[in-house]
Amino acid sequence: MYASVILDIPTQALDSAYTYALTPETAHVRVGCAVLVPFGGRPAVGYVVSLTDETPANVARVKQVESVLSDSYFDEAGAQLAFYLSDRYIAPLSSCVRLLLPPGATPKMKRVAGSWEVLYPKVQQVDERWAVRLPAADQYEPRRSAVKQIAILEALKQGDLRVAELTAEYGSVSSVLKALESKGVVAIEERRRVRGNAQISPAFAKRIHERPELTSAQRDALELIGSAQQRADGEVIVLDGVTGSGKTEVFLCAIEEELKRGRNAIVLVPEISLTPQTVARFRGRFGDTVAVLHSRMSPGERFDQWDLIHSGAIRVVVGARSALFAPLANVGMIIVDEEHEGSYKQDQSPRYVTRDVAEWIAKRNGATLILGSATPSIEALYRVESDKDWHLAVMGERANGKPLPSIQVVDMAREFGGGNRKMFSKALQAALNETLDKNEKAVLLLNQRGFAQFLLCRDCGYVPECDSCSTSLTFHEEGNRLVCHHCGQEQPAPAVCPECGSPYLKRFGAGTQRVEAELRAFLQDRERPVEIVRMDADTTAHKGDHQRLLEQFAKAEAAVLLGTQMIAKGLDFDDVTLVGVINADTMLHLPDFRSSERTFDLIEQVAGRSGRADLPGKVIVQTYSAQEVAVRSAARYDREGFLEHELKMRKDANYPPYVRLANVLIWGERESEVIGVAQKLFFDLMQLAEEQGLQGVQVYPPTPCVLSRLKKNYRYHILIKAQPECDISAFCREYFRTRKPDKTVNVSIDIDPVSVL
Ligand code: ADP
Ligand code: ZN
Ligand code: ZN
């Protein structure tokens, strides 16, 4: 027998599986096992991806598997998935296989005193000792003075107890338990503890168990989903439902149906909306058959959840994007909630697009894929139009029948044109006072995605743009320049606005702390104190912070929650009646083709946080770009209007969904070397396109990235565009696999990037 093995060494150069022979000692190995093999004169860990009886051509040079290091982590289907990811995203096979492994719990090689040793994982299962009362206890009469014995036997009548719990209650119990054990009246058992299976707190329990009567839109959606489930052909349903329309209830019912058919389900949720509330809704319906996976869990918790799934005890996995690779057998349904979210793109190798991988898995398994969102991505909507296996279900109204809040756009350029710059417009100030007077709550969003600095005229709202690319120019402090990050064109930054001559041409960018200070100053004169909760990367750095801040906000009477994008999702508070967007436009001027789409999405999403229950809601959107289509159409909930405009722009400028993109990133500490490598790459790729006779592929000359320096590195990029029918990975896969790496310059490729900054 021979095993095909992927080495756990992350280099592009080793991108194929290697064949090793099995010996009688290693013949029991299965696909998915970790093995120890010799490689290049040293031992290495690898993973078996297939087994065969066929003698390989180079049999004389084939070495043997030295030992088997673990049970099987994945099956043949998992191995195929790793190959698919590696091919599609031009990623090292080892990094693709890692997605399938128990997090933090695999053997690794380590160099110890000049030789290699296998380092076994520290994360392992934990057993707990339980005390169990045996039937013989009924006939047993402890001495009257044996107080602890009597108490323990009494306590165990109610059910088994952890030894730790008994110790907490009665002090040291080990000698007592030994005595009871020797008399045959109590047994001590080792049982596995499952970390991460937190109980649902009673506060959530009520809402979970109620099963609302479905709205007609929910029933229609379920019917459409049901017929796809029936066909079991890997079809996709885009569930386009406004915030509060009851998408989660649809997911729950669809999963229930799939479980009845004997198949299992994966539910993906953006990391930041994977709150205890979300988990509770699934645990409330499916109980202990639900496992949860996300990156904020401890390694032990993640391992236990992974292992529980692997053991077959789990029917529903709820998790962040990587939960798509959980070892769940027999997957019949995959749900991607908030499908439009940028965080569904993995930002390190393999740089996969969750939606696309989920579609591939669904096709292979004959599973049904549901993509849910109040603002479906342009890609998903485009597929619905162009692919017969994609269907659209629309839920246009809130489940409780309440209207969506009205959105008021405030033109900040008009209000603060004179340069007397404030964070809060008169309209927002008045609305805040009114809301707090009624003891209701407000949510304020500070949009921080506009980290790239750009210039903005405070008088007329003018933002300098590139003549040939229709994206805004990025301001570079160094040399006081404006640069286009698509074509490289640059110019000196003007001193006054070229449009209106105003001197108030300011750099844009503000932090939550500044807004908080201004908010406190504005609210300090109020009679009763107002709770101000700030939620951003700084205040949520530790485990549990997120939840603590939300609880603080929930408890308060009149309160303002101020935060970054992380507050735009999932919050469901009945008494939030005002949502304010401090700066709707920062993203709009990012030199990124998705910036309009993101702005539109953000306004619609955050509006959905207002007036969710009986109290009517209000939304105020402050912007210096009040005339932008993304802002105007979002304020009217007019997606059609937005799409019409946006799709035309995308088509004219050759952007997705009309083309596929690849972004080649080149970075290093010395700029001249980076440029040298970038130019060579550009030349090679151009030649490759010519050789392959690919009319549909366009390679753009290297330009500095928007983030042109990062951690001491200079960053350049090359954009490749391909017609949708052209396989952009196949075009350059061989080239990148066989390319000799440079010593001081790094190169990576991102297929279907979500952002090209
Ligand atoms: P979405 O995910 O679309 O934003 P949710 O599923 O969170 O919406 O539902 C919003 C609220 O409406 C929740 O409080 C939910 O319990 C409630 N809800 C869902 N379906 C119904 C229904 N058919 N009737 C009444 N309330 C419902
Ligand atoms: Zn101006
Ligand atoms: Zn340009």
Side-chain angles (χ1 to χ4, degrees), residues 546-593:
H546 199 262
Q547 192 56 23
R548 183 177 48 77
L549 291 171
L550 288 181
E551 277 164 16
Q552 187 185 339
F553 180 63
K555 270 208 316 270
E557 258 193 8
V560 181
L561 176 66
L562 163 70
T564 52
Q565 274 77 0
M566 66 173 74
I567 64 169
K569 305 270 145 43
L571 296 188
D572 190 0
F573 291 106
D574 289 352
D575 46 1
V576 170
T577 54
L578 173 65
V579 166
V581 183
I582 307 276
N583 55 337
D585 40 21
T586 41
M587 277 192 296
L588 216 44
H589 303 299
L590 276 181
D592 191 279
F593 69 94

Side-chain angles (χ1 to χ4, degrees), residues 225-542:
I225 295 167
S227 54
Q229 283 174 294
Q230 190 82 41
R231 292 189 291 271
D233 208 16
E235 289 172 45
V236 184
I237 280 92
V238 176
L239 182 57
D240 171 11
V242 297
T243 53
S245 57
K247 293 186 289 293
T248 312
E249 189 59 37
V250 171
F251 299 155
L252 291 167
C253 294
I255 294 172
E256 219 161 22
E257 200 46 46
E258 198 60 43
L259 298 186
K260 272 190 215 145
R261 291 162 192 266
R263 302 214 287 173
N264 302 325
I266 295 177
V267 183
L268 304 180
V269 175
E271 185 87 43
I272 53 169
S273 15
L274 197 51
T275 58
Q277 281 104 316
T278 312
V279 174
R281 286 179 81 174
F282 288 90
R283 283 246 163 91
R285 193 67 62 92
F286 305 114
D288 285 343
T289 64
V290 176
V292 180
L293 282 173
H294 61 79
S295 65
R296 282 167 301 166
M297 299 169 93
S298 73
E301 288 172 336
R302 281 213 277 173
F303 174 72
D304 283 358
Q305 295 292 307
W306 189 94
D307 209 36
L308 208 58
I309 302 166
H310 192 234
S311 74
I314 292 300
R315 308 288 315 270
V316 181
V317 174
V318 181
R321 79 180 166 237
S322 65
L324 184 57
F325 307 104
L328 186 70
N330 203 9
V331 173
M333 172 159 284
I334 304 173
I335 291 167
V336 183
D337 192 20
E338 309 285 7
E339 161 275 329
H340 63 282
E341 267 282 297
S343 63
Y344 277 123
K345 170 83 179 184
Q346 162 115 329
D347 52 9
Q348 60 194 36
S349 187
R351 295 180 171 76
Y352 61 86
V353 179
T354 304
R355 182 201 320 117
D356 297 342
V357 180
E359 185 190 2
W360 186 84
I361 296 175
K363 266 270 158 350
R364 185 189 65 187
N365 287 17
T368 306
L369 171 62
I370 306 180
L371 304 175
S373 176
T375 52
S377 63
I378 286 184
E379 277 89 343
L381 292 170
Y382 186 73
R383 287 294 292 279
V384 168
E385 294 289 312
S386 58
D387 191 324
K388 66 172 178 30
D389 286 343
W390 285 56
H391 314 283
L392 184 67
V394 179
M395 303 202 296
E397 279 162 28
R398 285 185 165 172
N400 59 9
K402 300 288 176 206
L404 289 166
S406 65
I407 302 178
Q408 180 188 349
V409 175
V410 176
D411 183 345
M412 298 291 273
R414 194 174 280 181
E415 188 158 344
F416 295 115
N420 171 28
R421 189 182 158 203
K422 288 237 171 64
M423 290 287 176
F424 305 110
S425 61
K426 287 195 200 75
L428 185 54
Q429 291 184 5
L432 270 170
N433 274 327
E434 196 184 318
T435 304
L436 296 168
D437 284 345
K438 287 191 280 189
N439 269 345
E440 293 169 6
K441 289 175 186 160
V443 169
L444 295 182
L445 175 86
L446 182 77
N447 186 354
Q448 274 200 321
R449 261 198 201 122
F451 57 79
Q453 292 207 332
F454 58 92
L455 292 182
L456 174 81
C457 172
R458 301 228 163 260
D459 275 330
C460 72
Y462 171 78
V463 173
E465 287 188 352
C466 174
D467 299 336
S468 39
C469 303
S470 80
T471 53
S472 51
L473 295 168
T474 304
F475 179 76
H476 285 240
E477 210 137 357
E478 207 187 305
N480 197 36
R481 306 170 291 154
L482 292 172
V483 181
C484 171
H485 286 279
H486 287 289
C487 67
Q489 189 228 110
E490 64 170 86
Q491 52 185 262
V496 296
C497 173
E499 263 322 269
C500 74
S502 160
Y504 297 110
L505 199 59
K506 291 276 166 62
R507 267 180 270 155
F508 213 76
T512 39
Q513 281 171 340
R514 244 199 79 194
V515 182
E516 185 189 352
E518 204 166 305
L519 182 65
R520 286 195 188 279
F522 165 63
L523 295 176
Q524 73 181 358
D525 297 333
R526 291 184 58 85
E527 242 166 64
R528 272 181 297 169
V530 176
E531 183 91 55
I532 297 175
V533 180
R534 174 161 66 92
M535 210 154 110
D536 57 20
D538 290 338
T539 63
T540 55
H542 302 290

Side-chain angles (χ1 to χ4, degrees), residues 22-90:
L22 298 177
T23 59
E25 290 75 47
T26 57
H28 64 285
V29 77
R30 284 184 298 144
V31 166
C33 288
V35 288
L36 191 65
V37 292
F39 184 77
R42 63 134 163 141
V45 173
Y47 295 94
V48 176
V49 286
S50 64
L51 294 165
T52 175
D53 287 323
E54 234 166 84
T55 310
N58 59 344
V59 64
R61 297 214 311 279
V62 166
K63 302 198 173 97
Q64 292 178 344
V65 170
E66 279 171 25
S67 61
V68 179
L69 300 174
S70 76
D71 288 341
S72 170
Y73 295 128
F74 55 84
D75 57 10
E76 280 82 1
Q80 276 171 25
L81 178 57
F83 281 104
Y84 160 78
L85 287 169
S86 169
D87 274 356
R88 182 172 175 105
Y89 297 104
I90 313 185

Side-chain angles (χ1 to χ4, degrees), residues 142-186:
R143 279 180 292 122
R144 297 262 304 276
S145 59
V147 195
K148 268 193 198 174
Q149 281 198 11
I150 296 169
I152 289 173
L153 283 172
E154 197 53 36
L156 288 176
K157 270 189 187 160
Q158 309 301 319
D160 306 345
L161 284 168
R162 292 185 184 85
V163 173
E165 287 172 301
L166 289 171
T167 309
E169 187 69 27
Y170 305 110
S172 167
V173 292
S174 56
S175 60
V176 185
L177 287 175
K178 260 208 195 88
L180 291 172
E181 210 180 354
S182 70
K183 300 211 162 62
V185 295
V186 164

